[in-house]
């Protein structure tokens, strides 16, 4: 998955998911708390792999991951207009009010408050990107 899309959350907490991302995510997918104040969106198969990896860890290492990711996870199905209903707990966690940015990041999508996304991007410098690319051999 890749790309960046701007959309608005409606008064009922529904969010339009772009057709390109819906195709990659499938008919039913999972939305859960993410890192850095966003929501993670996984295709069902990717979610099952993540859940299996978390569950394979010893309880001492897995319980926080289980509580963070699994307790907040919601199965969502887009309606005929391509919208999903985001549970209130997830909207509050990601500070989603109206303007939303959806990004594709490889094997998952992320849902951000547009304001939080812009603030996050302001922190990333060209030097940070350059260093990461050098570590990857680019």
């Amino acid at each position: 998955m890749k790309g960046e899309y701007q959309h608005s959350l409606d008064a009922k907490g529904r969010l339009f998911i772009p057709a390109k991302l819906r195709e990659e995510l499938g008919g039913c997918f999972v939305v859960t708390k993410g890192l850095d104040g966003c929501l993670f969106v996984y295709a069902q198969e990717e979610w099952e792999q993540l859940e299996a990896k978390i569950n394979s860890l010893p309880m001492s290492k897995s319980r926080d991951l289980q509580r963070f990711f699994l307790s907040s996870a919601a199965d969502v199905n887009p309606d005929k207009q391509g919208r999903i209903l985001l549970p209130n707990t997830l909207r509050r966690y990601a500070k989603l009010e109206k303007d939303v940015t959806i990004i594709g990041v490889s094997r998952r999508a992320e849902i951000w408050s547009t304001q939080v996304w812009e603030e996050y991007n302001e922190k990333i410098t060209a030097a940070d990107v350059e260093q990461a690319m050098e570590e990857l051999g680019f």
Side-chain angles (χ1 to χ4, degrees), residues 57-121:
L57 295 169
M59 180 62 75
S60 62
K61 293 183 180 183
S62 69
R63 70 176 178 256
D64 288 339
L65 292 173
Q66 290 172 338
R67 291 172 180 155
F68 184 80
F69 289 116
L70 279 64
S71 71
S72 65
D75 293 320
V76 295
N77 295 294
D79 64 15
K80 292 178 183 177
Q81 287 79 38
R83 301 172 301 186
I84 60 168
L85 178 63
L86 290 172
N88 192 40
T89 54
L90 292 176
R91 292 194 314 264
R92 277 196 320 267
Y93 171 80
K95 301 177 184 167
L96 301 177
E97 294 177 11
K98 178 123 177 94
D99 296 327
V100 175
T101 300
I102 305 166
I103 63 171
V105 283
S106 189
R107 297 185 330 199
R108 72 173 182 272
E110 295 180 351
I111 300 172
W112 291 78
S113 154
T114 296
Q115 179 181 347
V116 174
W117 174 242
E118 290 170 355
E119 291 168 1
Y120 178 82
N121 277 293

Side-chain angles (χ1 to χ4, degrees), residues 1 17 20-32 40-51 73-76 78 105-110:
M1 283 177 249
I17 302 297
K20 177 73 173 150
L21 293 179
R22 286 195 318 269
E23 288 173 18
E24 295 183 54
L25 290 166
C28 177
F29 44 93
V30 178
V31 181
T32 191
F40 286 173
V41 185
Y42 290 98
Q44 196 66 43
E45 185 177 310
E46 286 291 330
W47 174 255
E48 290 169 4
Q49 290 175 18
L50 174 67
E51 191 172 352
D75 293 320
V76 295
V105 283
S106 189
R107 297 185 330 199
R108 72 173 182 272
E110 295 180 351

